[in-house]
């Protein structure tokens, strides 16, 4: 137990003005299936994605909001009552009505709330048992001078994860009571099963809670008013040292009752302690250990992909994938391959890395790995020009870390086929130009690079032609394949790949340098000619295992990116001064997507920047490590204990987008290992 106490991870003090910090700060707990619980630290539901149980149900259902929250009320012996939830009084009255929430903290990445009401001190803690669609909310009364009663009222809305907050199931909610177990069902969905551990009673009082407001949805231009439903409330009389646990689940009663609440909590605590203990020694404490726990949120066993799971099982593997970000992303090929090293290799989860790589290899179609697996679908979408090239990069990092030649030999025929299909031409105009050996891409109405914002028919940054990072990745893939073929004594094939790589490298250095701007073109041979916008994509020409750019140009590229794009929390996607530059990422979907890659800062880009820095200044690990320091205070901002997807392009670099993003966490964690003393 000492190691657990020593590794208590993070806490955040509550600001006197919750409108600036607390009402915005959020927490997240995941279950290893893609499901989660999340909310603001004060308990207000501001997003459609907030809830105590968002279950990951088998396809075609996908993720569903099953339990929106609990209305928690304390009644004292004198008859007075107080609600633990968000404060409803106006700001001008708050000085005379101090917040009941005295502390919020994470212990081993799990949220704990402490409330103080006079001499009453109450702690609440929440967790999701690993690989279960179950939530357990526990209450401990640490100090009290009198007997009190706590009432817990579940509030429910069965709704598809992405559905507007006004959505409701097809059919009424039905409450079924048997002894001390309670089930709420509706339509063809699995029932929500509830039980209370603690001597109490349930008062049936079915009613609708109307017109609940979700302000974050309103800010983002979506429906913001919806109704909830409640079946009644649990009531428990409590004294000091009393512990009460509410459990809600879509699992079977046998699974729910398999462990007591204390056993389930200890099991999850020990699992997290083991994650930190088995990770790289440089990430065993403090900020970096928090990132080890944050990384665990993204590695999941996806529910419902039966065909993929069956194939993996037949090969002796298990099904694993990477959720790109919470709350709304599913698993994306590009994000997975960029994130793999940080999420799995820095944390010594190489077996899961091998499963991820082999599972994606089984999904290759027409020489491409999937761009993403949509919610509620068993099939992937393949509209991407770079995910497959990042696949080569991820394999390289995995082989370098594990020396797993068996997996390499298993994948090698597929890698050869990928390159051959790119040479001949595959989907969406992805093909090597026989004239210069560079890779082009583009199809009307599609966004095929990582800068993939699209609103209706408007592709914001189409980048059709020959993007700089696509060709850096293509060259890197060719050189990796050449080396692997040589190692397997397939020299004839290796020499053919070498000739392709040499041609691409020569053409790249002749054509991508923009002398007028002193950096690389972002795209050449586009519909409107060559694009000289200063973007971070050019760093990949230096940062990858096999840099395509001539070393004489490394320092000028690094310097201009440092001067124009670097921020404390990642890199801008477009330099200030460009006509399309957007300083803030906010507003409705169209406004946000117009800014998504037009200045908005992305945290994951700190990885290529640090790799480039160490290429130019190989002895300056301390300087590279200093570039990560801006992420430390961020862990107390958006999602406590994790790293956001994007930030505004101008100070104060407000966090935006997904509150917890896989490649943001992965690249900071990877670079921490790479640069820490």
């Amino acid at each position: 137990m000492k190691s657990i106490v020593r590794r208590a991870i993070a806490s955040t003090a509550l600001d006197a003005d919750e409108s600036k910090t607390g009402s915005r700060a959020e927490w997240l707990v995941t279950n290893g299936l893609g499901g989660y619980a999340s909310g603001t630290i004060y308990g207000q539901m501001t997003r459609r994605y907030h809830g105590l149980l968002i279950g990951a149900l088998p396809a075609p259902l996908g993720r569903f909001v099953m339990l929106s929250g609990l209305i928690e009320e304390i009644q004292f012996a004198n008859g007075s009552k107080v609600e633990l939830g968000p404060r409803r009084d106006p700001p001008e009255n708050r000085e005379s009505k101090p917040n009941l929430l005295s502390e919020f903290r994470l212990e081993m990445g799990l949220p704990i709330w402490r409330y103080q009401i006079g001499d009453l001190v109450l702690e609440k803690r929440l967790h999701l048992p690993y690989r279960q669609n179950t939530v357990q909310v526990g209450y401990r009364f640490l100090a009290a001078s009198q007997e009190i009663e706590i009432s817990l009222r579940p509030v429910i809305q069965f709704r598809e994860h992405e559905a507007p907050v006004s959505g409701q199931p097809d059919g009424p909610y039905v409450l079924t009571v048997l002894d001390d177990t309670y089930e709420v069902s509706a339509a063809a969905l699995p029932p929500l099963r509830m039980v209370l551990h603690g001597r109490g009673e349930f008062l049936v009082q079915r009613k609708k809670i109307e017109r609940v407001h979700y302000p974050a949805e309103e800010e983002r231009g979506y429906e913001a008013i919806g109704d909830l439903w409640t079946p009644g409330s649990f009531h428990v009389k409590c004294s000091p040292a009393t512990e009460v646990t509410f459990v809600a689940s879509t699992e079977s009663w046998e699974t729910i009752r398999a462990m007591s609440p204390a056993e389930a909590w200890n099991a999850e605590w020990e699992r997290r302690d083991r994650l930190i203990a088995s990770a790289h020694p440089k990430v065993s404490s403090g900020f970096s250990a928090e990132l080890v726990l944050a990384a665990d949120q993204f590695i999941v066993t996806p529910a419902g992909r039966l065909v993929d799971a069956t194939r993996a099982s037949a090969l002796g593997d298990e099904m694993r994938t990477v959720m790109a970000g919470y709350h709304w992303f599913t698993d994306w090929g590009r994000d997975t391959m960029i994130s793999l090293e940080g999420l799995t290799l820095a944390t010594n989860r190489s077996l899961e890395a091998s499963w991820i790589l082999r599972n994606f290899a089984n999904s290759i179609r027409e020489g491409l790995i999937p761009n993403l697996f949509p919610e509620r679908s068993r099939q992937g979408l393949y509209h991407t020009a770079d995910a497959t090239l990042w696949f080569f990069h991820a394999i390289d990092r995995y082989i370098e870390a594990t020396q797993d030649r068996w997996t390499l030999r298993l994948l090698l025929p597929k890698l050869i086929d990928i390159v051959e299909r790119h040479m001949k031409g595959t989907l969406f105009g992805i093909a090597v130009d026989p004239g210069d050996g560079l890779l082009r891409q583009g199809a009307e109405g599609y966004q095929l690079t990582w800068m993939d914002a699209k609103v209706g028919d408007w592709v914001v940054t189409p980048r059709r032609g020959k993007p700089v990072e696509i060709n850096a990745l293509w060259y890197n893939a060719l050189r990796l394949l050449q080396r692997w073929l040589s190692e397997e004594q397939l020299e004839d094939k290796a020499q053919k790949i070498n000739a392709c790589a040499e041609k691409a490298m020569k053409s790249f250095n002749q054509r991508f340098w923009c002398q007028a701007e002193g950096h690389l073109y972002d795209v050449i041979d586009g519909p409107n000619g060559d694009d000289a916008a200063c973007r971070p994509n050019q760093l990949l020409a230096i940062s990858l295992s096999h840099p395509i750019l001539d070393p004489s140009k490394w320092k000028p590229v690094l310097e201009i990116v440092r001067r124009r794009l670097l921020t404390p929390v990642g890199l801008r996607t477009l330099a200030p001064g460009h006509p399309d530059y957007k300083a803030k990422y906010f507003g409705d979907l169209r406004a946000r997507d117009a800014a998504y890659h037009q200045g908005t800062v992305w945290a994951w880009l700190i990885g290529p920047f640090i790799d480039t820095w160490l290429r130019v200044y190989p002895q300056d690990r301390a300087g590279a490590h200093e570039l990560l320091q801006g992420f430390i205070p961020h862990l107390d901002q958006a999602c406590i204990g994790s790293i956001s997807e994007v930030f505004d392009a101008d100070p104060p670099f407000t966090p935006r987008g997904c509150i917890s993003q896989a490649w943001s966490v992965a690249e900071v964690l990877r670079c921490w290992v790479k640069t820490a003393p």
Side-chain angles (χ1 to χ4, degrees), residues 165-477:
V165 295
S166 59
Q168 293 294 342
D170 297 329
Y173 293 104
V174 176
L175 172 65
T176 303
V177 181
L178 180 62
D179 296 329
D180 63 342
T181 64
Y182 306 85
E183 294 188 2
V184 174
S185 56
L189 295 170
L192 179 69
R193 298 184 167 100
M194 300 180 293
V195 65
L196 187 75
H197 293 265
R199 300 179 63 182
E201 61 181 6
F202 184 79
L203 176 64
V204 176
Q205 191 181 17
R206 292 168 292 189
K207 66 177 184 178
K208 183 186 291 187
I209 302 174
E210 297 182 317
R211 297 191 61 77
V212 176
H213 181 225
Y214 298 79
E217 296 303 302
E218 185 173 48
E219 289 178 10
R220 289 166 56 84
Y222 299 118
E223 285 190 31
I225 302 293
D227 297 339
L228 303 174
W229 181 83
T230 176
S233 53
F234 295 93
H235 296 261
V236 184
K237 294 188 181 299
C238 304
S239 56
T242 297
E243 294 193 17
V244 176
T245 302
F246 170 82
V247 180
S249 178
T250 65
E251 307 291 343
S252 68
W253 280 114
E254 184 178 20
T255 300
I256 295 169
R257 296 186 182 281
M259 289 191 292
S260 69
E263 289 173 328
W265 174 267
N266 290 336
E268 179 61 14
W269 190 282
E270 290 172 11
R271 188 186 74 83
R272 289 165 176 258
D273 194 45
R274 188 167 61 248
L275 289 174
I276 295 172
S278 61
H280 194 285
K282 289 184 179 180
V283 294
S284 62
S285 63
F287 166 77
S288 58
E290 295 179 65
L291 294 187
V292 172
L293 297 178
D296 179 61
Q297 298 172 336
F298 305 106
I299 302 172
V300 306
T301 302
R305 300 240 293 274
L306 182 61
V307 173
D308 292 340
T310 301
R311 182 184 291 112
S313 180
L315 293 169
D317 291 345
E318 293 187 22
M319 190 65 195
R320 294 289 189 279
T321 192
V322 171
M323 301 299 285
Y326 293 94
H327 303 94
W328 47 81
F329 285 131
T330 57
D331 45 338
W332 287 62
R334 174 191 304 114
D335 301 54
T336 297
M337 299 310 149
I338 293 173
S339 301
L340 190 83
E341 185 175 4
L343 296 185
T344 63
L345 302 181
T347 59
N348 285 329
R349 300 175 72 163
S350 58
L351 180 59
E352 288 171 293
S354 70
W355 293 339
I356 291 168
L357 291 172
R358 292 198 289 269
N359 286 330
F360 267 90
N362 288 331
S363 298
I364 293 172
R365 302 288 184 272
E366 304 290 333
L368 301 174
I369 69 167
N371 189 33
L372 78 154
F373 289 91
E375 194 90 62
R376 300 180 299 281
S377 174
R378 297 183 177 94
Q379 301 296 323
L381 301 178
Y382 288 82
H383 51 310
T384 171
D386 59 346
T388 311
L389 306 178
W390 279 111
F391 184 50
F392 282 75
H393 169 79
I395 293 169
D396 173 50
R397 306 322 300 144
Y398 170 76
I399 299 299
E400 181 74 18
T402 65
Q403 300 302 309
D404 180 3
R405 305 299 299 185
W406 181 87
T407 292
L408 177 60
R409 293 183 184 114
L410 181 71
L411 298 180
L412 199 54
K414 296 178 182 288
L415 302 179
I416 294 170
D417 182 65
I418 286 171
V419 168
E420 289 177 348
R421 287 180 179 271
H422 279 64
M423 291 285 192
K424 296 174 184 176
T426 184
L427 306 175
F428 308 109
I430 300 169
V432 169
D433 182 338
D436 58 15
L438 297 174
L439 191 63
R440 61 180 178 235
Q441 63 84 35
E444 190 71 34
Y446 286 93
Q447 67 286 27
L448 303 179
T449 73
W450 84 273
M451 293 187 162
D452 57 359
K454 182 181 179 183
V455 185
D457 294 332
W458 177 37
V459 178
V460 183
T461 49
R463 306 181 71 232
R464 293 169 63 188
K466 298 168 183 172
V468 63
E469 84 282 8
I470 297 297
N471 281 282
L473 286 161
W474 171 242
Y475 175 79
N476 188 60

Side-chain angles (χ1 to χ4, degrees), residues 27 29 37-38 51-52 110-113 124-128 135-138 265:
W27 56 270
V29 181
S38 183
L52 298 187
L110 298 173
I112 298 177
W113 296 258
K124 177 177 77 172
R125 63 189 189 185
L126 177 148
H127 82 284
L128 278 61
V135 63
Q136 297 192 0
V137 188
W265 174 267

